[in-house]
């Protein structure tokens, strides 16, 4: 009976630690990932939403593929915060279209987003690390070093989480064996 109690106590402690380490309030949202991608692409040139979508798909498609329906609200949000601006053009047929470009505030915001710790859930962390590494090209050497320290720390958290998950699975197996015997 004592060993059952120990396993249950270990299991409860693991769940409580997991909640603290990877709570929803610290999760990076997919919108944040899309904003990073949009700002990174726009810091190179101005693009329409459609062209922006195609560039993200080409260069980041192995990580994420945001749809136009996902990009449109992200563009609007970034525009409302003055991180990007748009310029309206009219085609020869009279149809309007918009070209988006990044502002100075947008470049600073992008750098801040790249350098902030993510505390994301483990399934999103892999994609976020890849995106941050690719986008680190805009950072100074000192900022890149800071980013690498942050990423090493995040990878350490992921490894710890994986080790605890493995331990949790062993605890669950042991509990099942004890309960079924």
């Amino acid at each position: 009976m004592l060993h059952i109690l120990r396993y249950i106590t270990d299991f409860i402690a693991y769940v409580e630690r997991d909640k603290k380490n990877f709570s929803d309030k610290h999760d990076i949202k997919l919108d944040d990932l899309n904003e990073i991608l949009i700002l990174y692409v726009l810091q190179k040139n101005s693009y329409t939403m459609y062209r922006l979508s195609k560039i993200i798909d080409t260069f980041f498609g192995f990580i994420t593929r945001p749809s136009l329906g996902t990009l449109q609200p992200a563009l609007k949000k970034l525009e409302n915060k003055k991180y990007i601006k748009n310029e309206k053009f009219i085609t020869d047929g009279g149809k309007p279209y918009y070209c988006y470009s990044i502002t100075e505030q947008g470049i600073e915001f992008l750098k801040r987003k790249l350098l902030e710790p993510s505390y994301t859930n483990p399934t999103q962390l892999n994609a976020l690390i890849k995106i941050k590494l690719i986008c680190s090209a805009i950072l100074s050497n000192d900022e890149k070093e800071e980013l690498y320290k942050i990423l090493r720390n995040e990878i350490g958290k992921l490894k710890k989480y994986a080790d605890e998950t493995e331990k949790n699975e062993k605890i669950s197996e042991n509990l099942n064996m004890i309960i079924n015997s």
Side-chain angles (χ1 to χ4, degrees), residues 38-98:
I38 289 168
L39 292 171
Y40 179 72
V41 171
L42 289 179
Q43 58 90 30
K44 296 190 180 288
N45 206 346
S46 298
Y47 296 108
T48 63
M49 182 173 58
Y50 177 78
R51 183 72 181 129
L52 185 64
S53 171
K54 293 300 178 191
I55 291 169
I56 290 172
D57 190 47
T58 300
F59 292 102
F60 298 95
F62 68 100
I63 301 169
T64 184
R65 293 176 186 265
S67 67
L68 291 174
T70 301
L71 290 178
Q72 185 178 20
L75 286 166
K76 198 58 143 171
K77 182 178 172 183
L78 290 168
E79 190 176 0
N80 289 339
K81 291 181 175 182
K82 309 278 190 246
Y83 297 143
I84 63 171
K85 59 185 177 182
N86 75 49
E87 191 173 347
K88 185 177 180 178
F89 294 95
I90 305 292
T91 65
D92 292 338
K95 192 172 183 176
Y97 69 95
Y98 297 91

